[in-house]
Amino acid sequence: MDWIRQWWRQPDHFDWLSAYLGARNLLRFTRFIVAAVVLLLAVAPLLMLLSPVGPQSITSRLISIFAAAVCGIMAVMWATQWPTRRQSLVFTGVLAVCIAAGCLVQSTPVAGLQGATAFAALAGYVAFFHTSRALLLTLAVSATTATICAVQIATHLDPFAALSKLLILTVGVLAVPYSAHVLVHVLGVDALKSDVDPLTDLPNRRGFHRSMRTLTAESIGSRAAELSAVMIDLDAFKRVNDTAGHAAGDQTLIAVADILRKTRRGDSVLGRVGGEEFVVGIVGPRHHATGLAERLRREIAAMPWNVTASVGVATVPLRRMPPDGIRGLLQGLIESADRAMYTAKRSGGNQVHVSGTPMDDYADAPVASPMPRRTTATPGKVPWTIAARPFVESEANRTSAAASMEPAPAKIKAAPTAVPPEIVNPTPTPVTMAKKRL
């Protein structure tokens, strides 16, 4: 019974599979395949209107024409855009009704039973993209339609032929969705292994970039939105492995991952992108990112393994789609945060370095006083600030407030990073007031 319970509780696959296909540039191909299949389903009832075993009464012929028209509209919709999860579920329900109606209006039950084989394609789609409950509902409609046709055959013709045809149809309708179900399970395991770091359970570099593309695409267009990358590299981490052993090093990395989960805020994505390198992508004002970076630095420095971190921060506005696309935007942002992190490390480590916007031409208007590449640093165990230009009062207040602000629970986002969604249960923890000397 456990495997039935596990099968029944499987989550909807649509979002992460859509992202998985999108990351491999297969969305367009898949759209056209589904559109072609639905278009064929629209043509089939129209051809049956010309057949002597097709629908004969005016009502049944009108039902066939209506079902064909609905299928044709859905085929056009699939050919033009990839649907949302809700639209996809509506599509499966409407298509199931159209197939059932097209089968039941035939003048002979044999033709109706043959038409019920179309449920195999629909059930396969549902098994691939949606929940077990949606699949069971589709199979129930299919079984009801096929049973009605089989009973009519048994009553008027041959019961043994009816049972034989029903069994063959059942095997065909069940085999396709079962194969799709197994394929989705294999893909899910493969995607999970390829996008998640096995030690820390954080997204790896591939998973982080995939999730960041989704987060960025959802946030573009808001005039107030900014995207920040916070790059964290542990100082002298090799010394931990050399003196305390690799087991202690692994425990240190796991502890850092836990700190990232506890201190993340708002719309954010976490990742382990190297041996001792971590990164946080966050949507929100710049001072939220700098406050988060300072909290991370303090929390890591307070760990019992005598480890500190060099942290780099870079921010870019999300007012509109950048000229070179989301990939170019993220690449420039990550590189800028990485340079800021190495600047902090060369300055002695255990400090935060804030970079300027990596793409100044991305803004709608030139900035009067652009943030220089080297703006702030908070070195040593007692945080303090060095500025390439002095902060104005409003900037200083915002940075201090952000550093002392309690972390807000992060919104859990589904994946797409192209993979099953990252499951994180952030636990807000109080932090102390950061003392900054300008």
Side-chain angles (χ1 to χ4, degrees), residues 164-187:
S164 174
K165 292 180 181 296
L166 182 61
L167 292 177
I168 293 174
L169 176 65
T170 301
V171 171
V173 172
L174 290 179
V176 173
Y178 177 76
S179 301
H181 181 75
V182 172
L183 179 60
V184 169
H185 177 72
V186 172
L187 284 174

Side-chain angles (χ1 to χ4, degrees), residues 66 194 232 243 248 254 348 360 375:
F66 179 77
S194 65
I232 305 106
T243 58
I254 294 172
D360 291 334
T375 55

Side-chain angles (χ1 to χ4, degrees), residues 213-220 326 413-414:
R213 288 195 295 270
T214 301
L215 179 64
T216 304
E218 293 175 351
S219 304
I220 284 179
I326 292 178
K413 289 194 170 289

Side-chain angles (χ1 to χ4, degrees), residues 74-228:
M74 291 191 297
V76 172
M77 294 174 60
W78 269 99
T80 54
Q81 65 178 6
W82 186 262
T84 63
R85 182 172 62 89
R86 183 182 298 275
Q87 291 171 342
S88 177
L89 286 170
V90 172
F91 157 76
T92 59
V94 172
L95 188 57
V97 173
C98 289
I99 295 175
C103 294
L104 296 177
V105 298
Q106 304 302 316
S107 60
T108 63
V110 175
L113 192 60
Q114 290 175 342
T117 56
F119 279 106
L122 177 60
Y125 172 85
V126 176
F128 200 79
F129 283 100
H130 291 295
T131 64
S132 304
R133 295 179 291 277
L135 175 60
L136 187 62
L137 180 60
T138 304
L139 293 177
V141 176
S142 170
T144 302
T145 304
T147 301
I148 292 174
C149 294
V151 169
Q152 292 176 348
I153 295 174
T155 303
H156 299 94
L157 299 174
D158 183 0
F160 298 103
L163 182 59
S164 174
K165 292 180 181 296
L166 182 61
L167 292 177
I168 293 174
L169 176 65
T170 301
V171 171
V173 172
L174 290 179
V176 173
Y178 177 76
S179 301
H181 181 75
V182 172
L183 179 60
V184 169
H185 177 72
V186 172
L187 284 174
V189 172
D190 175 68
L192 184 63
K193 289 181 178 179
S194 65
D195 283 359
V196 176
D197 172 52
L199 178 64
T200 62
D201 285 333
L202 293 178
N204 57 19
R205 182 183 296 273
R206 177 179 175 181
F208 172 79
H209 281 276
R210 197 174 282 175
S211 296
M212 278 291 285
R213 288 195 295 270
T214 301
L215 179 64
T216 304
E218 293 175 351
S219 304
I220 284 179
S222 175
R223 300 294 300 179
E226 291 181 304
L227 179 67
S228 298

